[in-house]
Amino acid sequence: MHCPNPVSILVATALALAAAPHGLGQCGGGGDCLIVHPQPGCTDADCCTTVCTTDPLCCSLGWDAECVGLADSLCVGLCGASASGDCLVPHATPACDRGECCATVCALDPYCCDFAWDFTCALLASLNCPPKGPGQCGDPSAGSCTVPHASAACDDLACCELVCAIDPSCCSQSWDFVCATVAQQYCVESCEPECPPNSVAEDEDCGQDSNNPCYLTPSPFPAVQPLACGSWVCGQIHSVTGGFRDIDVYAVTVPDDGDGDGTVAVRLSLASSFDGFAALVAAPCGPIASAVASVETDFCVEFASGVTCVSPGEYRLVVAAGTFPQPGNPNLICGQFGATRYRARLECLPTGCGPTCGPDAGSCFSPHKGPGCDDVECCDSVCVRDPGCCEQQWDTSCVQAAQTLCAVPPANDDCGGAIDVDGGSVEVSLIGATPSLPTFPPTCGGAATDVWYRVVAPRTATCTVTTCGSGTFDSVVAVYESCKGLPIACNDDATQCIPELSSRVSFAAACGDAYLVRVGSLDGTPGSATLVVNFGPGATCGCVADLDGDGSVGGSDLTMLLSAWSGPGGDLDGDGTTNGADLTVILSAWGPCP
């Protein structure tokens, strides 16, 4: 039996399609790809080619309901097509499934339709696209509570009611990115902090406020629950019938450590499934704002305060929802999904209360509550200059002093030491970075410190460089063609980025050319960020037939060439038009690029 060569089949099919008078040549004309119309083909050439490859009648007879259905299910990257993905959910491909919403977002940020529908695009959709109107909590046809969707409400009755009590628009307009985030915080059981072995349970029933002698005065006056220094206590914060806000209070004795200096080193820790805080106040009932130590947390991530020196004696450990020192959030429903749980501890440390320089303190290059930092030599140097850094807390001024006294400039501190990176992401650190030349032009926002990277374009394409969604400093990004002169692109605060203190630039990159990417800190604050370099579609260097830039010549490249037939878009031999000669080039190059 004779088996035909697959390449021969591709050649015959391609030539037949190219010669057909009403074939793929109709692509780029006709009507909307997602609307039935009598003319063959549709206005989006890429989508039209994809559909007509599956059903040639769509490009020879007319664009009927079957053609529309194929477009909806196959045309990834077409605004309004189901295949493009939910507008409210980030995804790696461009465009989304609601045409009007897609067009609105892409007018604000073309990146969303050119490259990928990322976090910023989904957030823009949540903020700018019209909602679908009221929904019914618990409706099985409503979307998942933890996934954004255009309709209001979600399918889990209890979770839906809880989220809508916090943000009513989630049930009246749409279940957007914010609603899904709130649901993940308050409704997912896995967020409940684990209770360590041998921990103490809160001695209070759900729905009561019987262990708060300090900030509520019911009758009879409640007793305060004792807690040993070093023991974990596991409890819950909730709304209380009658409008009382639950605050939990524990009695802790801080014993003298016996070193004769009249002080004891303590550290406060908290993990909670809600936005909350723990504070240590003097007995019997000091104001929360007068706390000698405090710590805030959310999302079940445990946080600890810096080491604090206190006098031995009696204290009250206070746990509440809200932001220190103000209790808040009346929507923590008793027993709801573990969303009201916490664990807290006060440790009495044997280290004494000298300068708290050592590995248990925070980084010398980031602000933190409590004194001292983790590098002893650096910590001592800073505290000689500013004793408050070892007596009160390690604030921004302490970080800047550490940057000056301790940090070693990184290898890529100057343009000549730029680190080579490929497309993708790289972690940026500005610890030890210094100013370099050339000076940032004023139009770029300027920067006090910076580091450099070098990237070589793998193809002629639009390149996007961004720190969006990351960074512990106010970043500035600039792109240069050499170490001298002005940047070809630069940005300080990108309005499309969340937070807006991050940056994004795009520029036209030429195949094989090298570009220098400079990341700076506007005010000199050291920190870290993720730098992402993304090259758009285009032919791989030295492989002109690789139209989609995936490193090989195949069916996708053939489809792109045929969709550009008789125009310049698929011209591979340089004669100014796409024709049979270009088809020969692409078929002769079939397979991986050299």
Side-chain angles (χ1 to χ4, degrees):
M1 178 178 179
H2 175 71
C3 295
N5 188 318
V7 175
S8 299
I9 295 175
L10 282 170
V11 173
T13 301
L15 290 173
L17 289 170
H22 298 292
L24 294 177
Q26 299 295 325
C27 291
D32 192 305
C33 296
L34 295 174
I35 298 176
V36 173
H37 49 269
Q39 303 92 346
C42 69
T43 52
D44 188 287
D46 291 338
C47 179
C48 176
T49 300
T50 300
V51 171
C52 291
T53 300
T54 303
D55 184 354
L57 294 179
C58 296
C59 279
S60 61
L61 295 179
W63 201 264
D64 59 17
E66 184 174 346
C67 305
V68 170
L70 288 172
D72 186 60
S73 60
L74 298 177
C75 293
V76 177
L78 176 67
C79 275
S82 298
S84 295
D86 194 321
C87 291
L88 299 177
V89 179
H91 45 268
T93 54
C96 69
D97 60 357
R98 294 165 60 194
E100 183 180 352
C101 179
C102 180
T104 299
V105 171
C106 291
L108 296 170
D109 187 355
Y111 180 91
C112 303
C113 280
D114 292 339
F115 295 105
W117 198 267
D118 61 11
F119 170 87
T120 301
C121 306
L123 186 59
L124 287 172
S126 295
L127 298 174
N128 293 281
C129 296
K132 287 192 173 179
Q136 183 66 44
C137 281
D139 184 346
S141 64
S144 167
C145 292
T146 57
V147 176
H149 46 269
S151 58
C154 66
D155 56 3
D156 188 302
L157 176 62
C159 180
C160 180
E161 291 178 344
L162 176 61
V163 172
C164 290
I166 298 171
D167 185 352
S169 70
C170 298
C171 280
S172 63
Q173 297 182 21
S174 62
W175 198 268
D176 60 17
F177 202 83
V178 175
C179 305
T181 301
V182 174
Q184 289 169 353
Q185 177 184 0
Y186 289 103
C187 304
V188 178
E189 291 186 10
S190 61
C191 183
E192 181 176 349
E194 293 184 5
C195 215
N198 303 316
S199 58
V200 176
E202 176 191 8
D203 187 16
E204 176 185 89
D205 292 334
C206 193
Q208 297 182 355
D209 198 15
S210 59
N211 61 355
N212 178 6
C214 295
Y215 311 105
L216 178 67
T217 54
S219 181
F221 198 85
V224 62
Q225 182 177 349
L227 181 67
C229 207
S231 294
W232 284 101
V233 61
C234 293
Q236 59 185 342
I237 295 293
H238 48 78
S239 296
V240 180
T241 303
F244 297 120
R245 180 176 294 138
D246 185 25
I247 299 175
D248 292 342
V249 180
Y250 303 92
V252 183
T253 300
V254 176
D256 194 326
D257 57 12
D259 63 1
D261 66 356
T263 60
V264 180
V266 298
R267 179 167 52 212
L268 191 59
S269 300
L270 175 70
S272 65
S273 54
F274 53 86
D275 295 335
F277 65 87
L280 186 68
V281 301
C285 289
I288 294 178
S290 69
V292 296
S294 66
V295 63
E296 297 181 29
T297 187
D298 59 4
F299 299 128
C300 300
V301 178
E302 182 183 327
F303 285 86
S305 69
V307 175
T308 303
C309 294
V310 302
S311 300
E314 298 295 320
Y315 291 87
R316 298 292 183 258
L317 173 59
V318 180
V319 181
T323 302
F324 177 82
Q326 183 59 50
N329 195 350
N331 298 307
L332 298 178
I333 302 173
C334 221
Q336 186 71 59
F337 301 103
T340 64
R341 299 287 182 178
Y342 68 84
R343 69 170 182 262
R345 175 176 63 171
L346 180 72
E347 298 172 272
C348 299
L349 304 175
T351 55
C353 275
T356 54
C357 300
D360 289 337
S363 169
C364 294
F365 302 103
S366 61
H368 50 266
K369 293 181 178 180
C373 69
D374 55 359
D375 185 305
V376 174
E377 184 176 353
C378 180
C379 181
D380 288 341
S381 299
V382 172
C383 291
V384 168
R385 171 183 289 191
D386 184 354
C389 296
C390 281
E391 295 172 357
Q392 299 173 13
Q393 69 174 7
W394 197 266
D395 59 18
T396 302
S397 65
C398 305
V399 171
Q400 292 173 343
Q403 174 88 344
T404 302
L405 297 172
C406 316
V408 176
N412 60 337
D413 190 41
D414 293 312
C415 182
I419 296 175
D420 288 330
V421 296
D422 297 323
S425 62
V426 61
E427 293 304 310
V428 174
S429 174
L430 287 181
I431 293 176
T434 63
S436 64
L437 296 175
T439 304
F440 273 96
T443 53
C444 294
T449 58
D450 51 60
V451 290
W452 294 79
Y453 298 89
R454 179 179 179 272
V455 60
V456 177
R459 53 187 171 271
T460 296
T462 298
C463 178
T464 299
V465 181
T466 178
T467 59
C468 269
S470 70
T472 59
F473 59 93
D474 188 347
S475 66
V476 181
V477 171
V479 179
Y480 296 77
E481 293 181 311
S482 72
C483 289
K484 297 181 179 179
L486 296 174
I488 59 174
C490 63
N491 175 252
D492 178 12
D493 296 336
T495 56
Q496 309 99 323
C497 290
I498 303 295
E500 288 190 7
L501 295 182
S502 47
S503 308
R504 180 158 78 178
V505 297
S506 293
F507 64 97
C511 184
D513 283 0
Y515 297 91
L516 295 160
V517 178
R518 186 182 189 184
V519 182
S521 171
L522 186 67
D523 60 4
T525 300
S528 61
T530 300
L531 180 71
V532 178
V533 180
N534 183 15
F535 285 93
T540 301
C541 294
C543 190
V544 68
D546 178 24
L547 297 177
D548 63 0
D550 66 354
S552 65
V553 180
S556 174
D557 304 297
L558 177 62
T559 299
M560 292 175 69
L561 182 140
L562 294 173
S563 67
W565 200 261
S566 298
D571 178 27
L572 303 180
D573 62 357
D575 66 357
T577 187
T578 305
N579 52 30
D582 303 298
L583 184 62
T584 301
V585 173
I586 204 168
L587 294 173
S588 64
W590 202 267
C593 289

